[in-house]
C-alpha cells in the first residue's frame, strides 16, 4: 500500500462502537424482516442504507469512497470479481424467472436499486467487523473473532430474514443455487480483505454491482412490486 492511500486500520473504535455494532448485527435483521411483512421492503431498505452511510460517516469519519485510489487495485479485488463471475454462472443455471417481466421495473431495479445496494451494504458489514477488530484496548485475536462472528451473523441473518423474502433470482434448493449462495458468501469475506488492502470502497462496490445486475438479465426480476404493500 502506497503512502498516499488510506489505511483502514488507523481507525480506532470505542466502546460505543462495540455496542452499536453488536446491536445492529443482532437486532436489525429481524426488525427489517418484520417491517417487510408489515409495509414492504422500502422502509427497511431506507433504514438499512441510512445506517450504513450514517454510521460510517459519523463513527468512522469517512465512508471509504472519497479516499485516495491506490496505483492499482489489490489482487484480492480481481479474485473477488472472479468469484462473483463464477457465482453468476451458477445463478444462471438455477434461475427463478419472471413469466411476464415488467421491463421498466427491471430497468429501474438495475439503474437505481442495484448501485444503491452495491454501494451501501458493505459499509455496514465492514463497520460491524472493524468496530471489534480495531478496538484498541483488548487482545486483537479475541476481538477479531467476535467481529467475524458478528459480521457472519449479520450478513447471514439479513439475507435469511429479509432479502430472501422477495429477492428471488436463483433457486436456493437446487445444486447450482447452493453453489451460488456459497460463492456469494465467500465474496462477502473477500470484501474485508479488499477494503483492508486498498482503503477504497469502490473495489467492493464493483463486484457487488455485478452480482446485483447480472441476474436481472436472465430472470426479468423487478424489485418494484415488493417495495410497498
Amino acid at each position: 500500500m502506497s503512502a498516499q492511500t488510506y489505511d483502514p486500520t488507523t481507525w480506532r473504535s470505542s466502546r460505543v462502537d462495540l455496542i452499536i455494532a453488536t446491536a445492529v448485527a443482532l437486532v436489525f435483521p429481524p426488525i427489517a424482516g418484520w417491517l417487510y411483512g408489515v409495509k414492504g421492503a422500502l422502509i427497511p431498505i431506507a433504514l438499512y442504507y441510512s445506517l450504513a452511510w450514517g454510521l460510517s460517516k459519523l463513527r468512522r469519519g469517512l465512508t471509504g469512497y472519497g479516499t485516495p485510489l491506490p496505483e492499482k487495485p489489490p489482487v484480492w479485488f480481481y479474485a473477488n470479481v472472479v468469484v462473483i463471475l463464477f457465482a453468476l454462472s451458477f445463478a444462471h443455471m438455477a434461475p427463478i424467472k419472471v413469466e411476464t417481466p415488467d421491463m421498466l421495473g427491471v430497468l429501474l431495479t438495475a439503474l437505481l436499486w442495484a448501485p444503491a445496494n452495491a454501494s451501501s451494504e458493505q459499509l455496514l458489514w465492514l463497520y460491524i467487523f472493524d468496530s471489534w477488530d480495531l478496538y484498541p484496548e483488548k487482545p486483537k485475536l479475541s476481538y477479531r473473532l467476535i467481529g467475524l462472528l458478528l459480521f457472519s451473523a449479520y450478513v447471514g441473518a439479513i439475507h435469511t430474514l429479509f432479502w430472501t423474502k422477495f429477492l428471488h433470482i436463483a433457486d436456493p434448493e437446487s445444486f447450482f443455487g447452493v453453489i451460488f449462495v456459497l460463492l456469494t458468501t465467500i465474496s462477502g469475506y473477500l470484501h474485508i480483505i479488499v477494503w483492508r488492502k486498498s482503503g477504497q470502497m469502490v473495489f467492493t462496490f464493483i463486484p457487488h454491482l455485478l452480482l446485483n445486475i447480472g441476474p436481472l438479465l436472465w430472470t426479468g426480476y423487478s424489485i418494484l412490486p415488493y417495495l410497498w404493500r
Side-chain angles (χ1 to χ4, degrees), residues 96-118:
I96 299 177
K97 295 185 177 181
V98 177
E99 291 186 5
T100 55
D102 173 11
M103 297 313 298
L104 178 59
V106 175
L107 182 61
L108 291 174
T109 301
L111 294 179
L112 299 178
W113 172 77
N117 186 70

Side-chain angles (χ1 to χ4, degrees), residues 120-137:
S120 302
E121 280 202 287
Q122 301 87 256
L123 293 176
L124 192 53
W125 301 354
L126 292 167
Y127 170 76
I128 291 171
F129 173 71
D130 284 346
S131 292
W132 282 85
D133 187 47
L134 301 178
Y135 186 64
E137 300 176 4

Side-chain angles (χ1 to χ4, degrees), residues 74-205:
V75 66
W76 291 102
F77 162 74
Y78 297 106
N80 202 4
V81 170
V82 170
V83 168
I84 290 299
L85 293 177
F86 274 107
L88 289 174
S89 68
F90 283 106
H92 186 265
M93 290 185 279
I96 299 177
K97 295 185 177 181
V98 177
E99 291 186 5
T100 55
D102 173 11
M103 297 313 298
L104 178 59
V106 175
L107 182 61
L108 291 174
T109 301
L111 294 179
L112 299 178
W113 172 77
N117 186 70
S119 63
S120 302
E121 280 202 287
Q122 301 87 256
L123 293 176
L124 192 53
W125 301 354
L126 292 167
Y127 170 76
I128 291 171
F129 173 71
D130 284 346
S131 292
W132 282 85
D133 187 47
L134 301 178
Y135 186 64
E137 300 176 4
K138 301 294 180 180
K140 190 174 182 66
L141 179 59
S142 61
Y143 272 59
R144 171 166 290 185
L145 291 175
I146 294 173
L148 284 172
L149 286 173
L150 289 173
F151 177 97
S152 303
Y154 178 79
V155 174
I158 196 65
H159 283 85
T160 301
L161 300 178
F162 179 60
W163 289 120
T164 58
K165 291 187 174 183
F166 60 93
L167 190 57
H168 305 142
I169 55 175
D171 181 3
E173 297 183 359
S174 70
F175 171 77
F176 296 123
V178 170
I179 300 300
F180 168 72
V181 172
L182 289 175
L183 288 173
T184 56
T185 301
I186 293 171
S187 175
Y189 291 108
L190 286 175
H191 289 319
I192 297 175
I193 303 174
V194 171
W195 166 237
R196 288 291 175 89
K197 293 294 184 181
S198 68
Q200 239 297 339
M201 203 66 68
V202 71
F203 296 123
T204 71
F205 166 78

Side-chain angles (χ1 to χ4, degrees), residues 51-62:
L51 277 173
W53 288 87
L55 289 175
S56 295
K57 188 65 177 178
L58 294 176
R59 298 304 306 171
R60 186 194 294 276
L62 51 81

